[in-house]
């Protein structure tokens, strides 16, 4: 799919979509709980649908409704289920330990770059607790039930390993501890997990980097829950407000544990106008000035921050970004290629980007099948002199299928064919 975008300023109001991060966790816990849970969320995505498909394979009943889903918990796990995780790293890393806690055998597969993304450390600790793997990368079969006990993980590879274990270990009969051998990066994602666990009555004690989980805990459905608004995807249209006309977004909670609400601080640092209340967040344009931002805790923001840097006066440095090479694309390389294709100036370092602001000309951008590259290029088009063509524009379906619809609703001119 190709998107042709004629430069135009965006402005107006749009609701935030449901948080993919929150939805993954709530869907899994709902499937593991007794009884029925209703999750309110108006939009889904390919990644969320991958989690739903895998939970159905494990034995959950999930009904799709116009305003969300109804999940009936797994009573009798299916034997030797096939879990197709698509391109969703969250689905894969969360459900790998969960499936091993439920099933003696489970088969896993995936597509895109998912088989190449890191999983070794999680496999290692699962092997130490009774699970074997037929191969070192997808596709593979797991054999053996995950036992509770003591786990040791690095905190600087993927917080998703820790989340997967936190979701699975309440199902085991033994008490467990998870100790981190390095500083935890992307800690806010673990806070999302802990918040979700509390909503389902699961107790986790955290002290000095050690997570203690009692085995044999019953996971209790809270009945009805609303999935948080998504700060990660909201960041694109909030950035549009800094580049064009004011943009207001509804459905975002300032109390959310999502780390990507840091987009507000980043926009302020660039010089944009930001007004945030319990009901709305509005970003207004201003003269933007380059700055230095550490993205170690919020790596998903780097692509859109790079666009802001390309439109700001002076130099912008996005640092502590080495882990972005392991995402849906090598995002340091793909973001650099995007900016250069549009006429921007960027230096790619092993763990950072250095961007010199200036006029953007427009051009053709390869999304590299990465949803955040496609959306960033569309927002960059606001400040381009000529048309922007995005190859693989349908990559947005991974997290935000209605992105171009909302883009045009705000006054954009995106023609998707």
């Amino acid at each position: 799919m190709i998107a042709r975008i004629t430069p135009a300023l965006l402005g107006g109001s749009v609701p935030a979509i449901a948080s993919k991060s929150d939805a993954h966790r709530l869907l899994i816990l709902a499937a593991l709980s007794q009884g029925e849970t209703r999750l309110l969320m108006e939009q889904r995505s390919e990644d969320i649908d991958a989690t739903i498909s895998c939970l159905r394979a494990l034995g959950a009943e999930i009904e799709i409704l116009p305003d969300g889903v109804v999940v009936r918990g797994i009573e009798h796990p299916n034997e030797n289920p096939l879990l197709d995780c698509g391109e969703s790293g969250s689905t894969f890393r969360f459900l790998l330990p969960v499936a091993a806690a439920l099933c003696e055998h489970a088969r896993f597969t995936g597509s895109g770059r998912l088989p190449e993304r890191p999983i070794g450390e999680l496999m290692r600790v699962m092997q130490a607790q009774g699970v074997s793997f037929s191969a070192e990368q997808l596709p593979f079969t797991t054999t053996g039930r995950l036992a509770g006990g003591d786990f040791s993980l690095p905190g600087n590879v993927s917080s998703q390993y820790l989340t997967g274990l936190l979701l699975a270990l309440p199902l085991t009969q033994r008490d467990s501890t998870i100790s981190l051998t390095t500083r935890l990066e992307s800690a806010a994602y673990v806070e999302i997990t802990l918040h979700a666990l509390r909503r389902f009555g699961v107790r986790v004690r955290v002290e000095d980097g050690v997570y203690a989980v009692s085995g044999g805990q019953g996971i209790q459905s809270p009945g009805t829950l609303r999935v948080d608004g998504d700060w990660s995807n909201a960041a694109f249209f909030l950035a549009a407000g800094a580049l064009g006309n004011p943009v207001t977004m509804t459905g975002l909670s300032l109390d959310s544990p999502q780390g990507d609400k840091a987009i507000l601080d980043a926009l302020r640092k660039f010089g944009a106008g930001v007004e945030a209340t319990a009901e709305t967040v509005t970003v207004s344009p201003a003269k933007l000035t380059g700055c230095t931002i550490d993205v170690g805790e919020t790596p998903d923001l780097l692509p859109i921050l790079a666009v802001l840097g390309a439109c700001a006066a002076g130099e912008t440095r996005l640092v502590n970004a080495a882990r972005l090479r392991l995402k849906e694309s090598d995002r340091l390389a793909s973001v650099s290629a995007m900016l250069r294709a549009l006429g921007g100036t960027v230096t790619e370092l092993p763990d950072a980007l250095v961007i010199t602001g200036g006029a953007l000309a427009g051009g053709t951008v390869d999304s590299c099948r990465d949803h955040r590259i496609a959306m960033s290029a569309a927002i960059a088009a606001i400040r381009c002199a000529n048309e922007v063509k995005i190859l693989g524009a349908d990559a947005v379906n991974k997290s935000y299928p209605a992105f171009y619809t909302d883009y045009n609703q705000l006054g954009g001119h995106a023609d998707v064919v």
Side-chain angles (χ1 to χ4, degrees):
M1 184 179 289
I2 298 173
R4 295 182 179 274
I5 301 181
T6 303
L9 302 183
L10 303 191
S13 179
V14 66
I17 64 171
S19 164
K20 187 160 66 83
S21 297
D22 199 31
H24 281 303
R25 292 157 172 83
L26 296 182
L27 281 164
I28 293 168
L29 288 167
L32 298 177
S33 66
Q34 298 177 354
E36 185 174 287
T37 306
R38 186 184 183 97
L39 300 177
L40 302 176
M41 53 178 178
E42 284 71 26
Q43 296 187 38
R44 304 190 320 280
S45 63
E46 287 181 349
D47 278 10
I48 293 305
D49 284 345
T51 290
I52 289 172
S53 174
C54 288
L55 292 172
R56 285 172 169 161
L58 286 169
E61 295 181 16
I62 302 178
E63 180 183 0
I64 307 298
L65 302 174
D67 64 345
V69 299
V70 172
V71 183
R72 297 174 184 89
I74 300 167
E75 295 184 4
H76 304 289
N78 292 328
E79 296 182 8
N80 197 25
L82 173 61
L83 284 73
D84 185 347
C85 301
E87 297 187 36
S88 175
S90 296
T91 303
F92 179 37
R93 290 164 173 164
F94 294 173
L95 287 179
L96 184 58
V98 168
L102 290 172
C103 308
E104 186 68 27
H105 303 279
R107 293 166 292 157
F108 283 84
T109 188
S111 54
R113 270 176 52 106
L114 187 60
E116 305 168 29
R117 296 178 68 179
I119 196 68
E121 288 291 342
L122 181 55
M123 293 174 69
R124 175 186 62 79
V125 297
M126 290 177 62
Q127 286 170 328
Q129 299 296 346
V131 181
S132 62
F133 298 82
S134 64
E136 294 184 356
Q137 67 179 41
L138 292 174
F140 58 61
T141 298
T142 64
T143 301
R145 289 289 185 91
L146 180 69
D150 296 326
F151 297 78
S152 179
L153 279 173
N156 62 344
V157 179
S158 175
S159 65
Q160 292 174 348
Y161 297 169
L162 176 55
T163 285
L165 289 173
L166 289 171
L167 294 171
L169 291 176
L171 305 175
T172 66
Q173 293 307 306
R174 295 171 55 193
D175 294 346
S176 301
T177 62
I178 309 169
S179 302
L180 300 181
T181 59
T182 64
R183 186 181 73 85
L184 177 63
E185 295 189 6
S186 297
Y189 287 103
V190 178
E191 286 303 315
I192 299 172
T193 305
L194 295 173
H195 179 60
L197 287 164
R198 287 192 294 269
R199 297 171 87 178
F200 280 82
V202 177
R203 302 177 304 281
V204 178
R205 299 186 305 280
V206 185
E207 187 174 349
D208 297 329
V210 178
Y211 297 76
V213 185
S214 299
Q217 292 191 54
I219 299 177
Q220 304 298 322
S221 170
T224 299
L225 291 175
R226 176 166 289 281
V227 178
D228 252 3
D230 193 333
W231 281 97
S232 299
N233 281 319
F236 296 97
F237 289 132
L238 294 174
L243 300 175
N245 293 318
V247 170
T248 296
M249 298 203 71
T250 58
L252 294 170
S253 170
L254 297 176
D255 295 326
S256 170
Q258 295 174 60
D260 285 344
K261 66 185 179 185
I263 185 63
L264 299 185
D265 291 333
L267 286 163
R268 291 185 181 105
K269 196 168 185 179
F270 274 110
V274 177
E275 296 181 20
T277 71
E279 302 296 328
T280 63
V281 177
T282 300
V283 177
S284 302
K287 179 178 173 57
L288 304 183
T289 303
C291 55
T292 297
I293 298 177
D294 186 329
V295 297
E297 292 297 318
T298 55
D300 285 342
L301 293 181
L302 179 136
I304 193 59
L305 293 177
V307 170
L308 290 168
C311 299
E315 183 178 275
T316 294
R317 301 179 68 88
L318 305 176
V319 302
N320 196 15
R323 287 186 304 132
L324 280 132
R325 296 196 182 279
L326 305 175
K327 295 289 187 177
E328 286 85 345
S329 66
D330 175 343
R331 282 193 182 146
L332 295 186
S334 57
V335 169
S336 297
M338 171 189 70
L339 293 181
R340 292 191 187 106
L342 297 177
T345 302
V346 57
T347 301
E348 178 186 338
L349 303 177
D351 62 350
L353 294 181
V354 181
I355 302 152
T356 301
L360 295 178
T364 299
V365 172
D366 184 347
S367 76
C368 302
R369 302 303 309 161
D370 188 327
H371 54 138
R372 300 197 191 280
I373 302 302
M375 290 188 279
S376 296
I379 299 302
I382 295 171
R383 287 289 190 91
C384 287
N386 302 300
E387 178 188 84
V388 172
K389 182 165 70 173
I390 304 171
L391 308 181
D394 53 326
V396 302
N397 293 336
K398 180 176 172 63
S399 65
Y400 196 164
F403 174 78
Y404 298 111
T405 299
D406 289 350
Y407 187 93
N408 288 341
Q409 178 186 322
L410 288 171
H413 302 301
D415 182 18
V416 183
V417 295

